[in-house]
């Protein structure tokens, strides 16, 4: 499980639950049909947080993504010498398209 500030995790969960993609993946997981290529790599944690290849799935939501970036800038564990390193650190924890 990836450590996150509690309210950030809750924000991600809330937005995930409202996404059509989340509902599709959840249904496929419940049917144990993860052999369909476009669903491979997705999992749900105990609290139903969706991950993709062990990285938290972040839905297409600009406000949420900005919150994650803001949180990363504040955290000591994300200390960096440049934007590229911070992005690499974030992408090891989070997954989003675009």
């Amino acid at each position: 499980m990836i450590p996150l500030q509690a309210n950030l995790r809750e924000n991600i969960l809330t937005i995930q639950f409202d996404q059509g993609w989340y509902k599709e993946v959840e249904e496929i997981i419940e049917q144990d049909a993860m052999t369909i290529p476009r669903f491979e790599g997705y999992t749900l944690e105990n609290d139903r947080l969706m991950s993709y290849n062990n990285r938290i799935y972040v839905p297409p939501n600009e406000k949420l993504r900005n919150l994650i970036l803001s949180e990363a800038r504040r955290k000591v564990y994300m200390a960096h010498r440049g934007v590229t390193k911070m992005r690499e650190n974030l992408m090891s924890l989070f997954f989003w398209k675009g």
Side-chain angles (χ1 to χ4, degrees), residues 14 41 45 66 77 80:
T14 300
E45 295 184 12
N66 285 335
Y77 67 85
H80 62 88

Side-chain angles (χ1 to χ4, degrees), residues 25-52:
V25 172
E26 182 180 43
E27 187 176 312
I28 293 297
I29 289 172
E30 288 173 358
Q31 294 173 4
D32 199 25
M34 293 305 291
T35 57
I36 300 169
R38 70 185 185 131
F39 295 105
E40 288 179 1
Y42 287 95
T43 58
L44 295 178
E45 295 184 12
N46 291 336
D47 62 358
R48 309 304 285 172
L49 183 77
M50 186 184 346
S51 296
Y52 177 73

Side-chain angles (χ1 to χ4, degrees), residues 14-82:
T14 300
I15 293 171
Q16 280 186 350
F17 291 158
D18 291 337
Q19 296 292 310
W21 178 244
Y22 177 90
K23 292 171 185 170
E24 275 188 68
V25 172
E26 182 180 43
E27 187 176 312
I28 293 297
I29 289 172
E30 288 173 358
Q31 294 173 4
D32 199 25
M34 293 305 291
T35 57
I36 300 169
R38 70 185 185 131
F39 295 105
E40 288 179 1
Y42 287 95
T43 58
L44 295 178
E45 295 184 12
N46 291 336
D47 62 358
R48 309 304 285 172
L49 183 77
M50 186 184 346
S51 296
Y52 177 73
N53 291 333
N54 296 317
R55 298 180 295 163
I56 295 172
Y57 170 76
V58 181
N61 181 292
E62 193 70 26
K63 188 174 180 181
L64 178 60
R65 291 175 182 185
N66 285 335
L67 178 63
I68 291 168
L69 293 170
S70 175
E71 179 69 15
R73 286 185 197 106
R74 293 184 324 109
K75 292 293 184 183
V76 173
Y77 67 85
M78 285 291 176
H80 62 88
R81 293 186 178 165

Side-chain angles (χ1 to χ4, degrees), residues 79-93:
H80 62 88
R81 293 186 178 165
V83 174
T84 303
K85 182 65 176 165
M86 184 179 80
R87 186 176 194 291
E88 288 174 11
N89 289 340
L90 280 175
M91 292 301 104
S92 70
L93 299 173

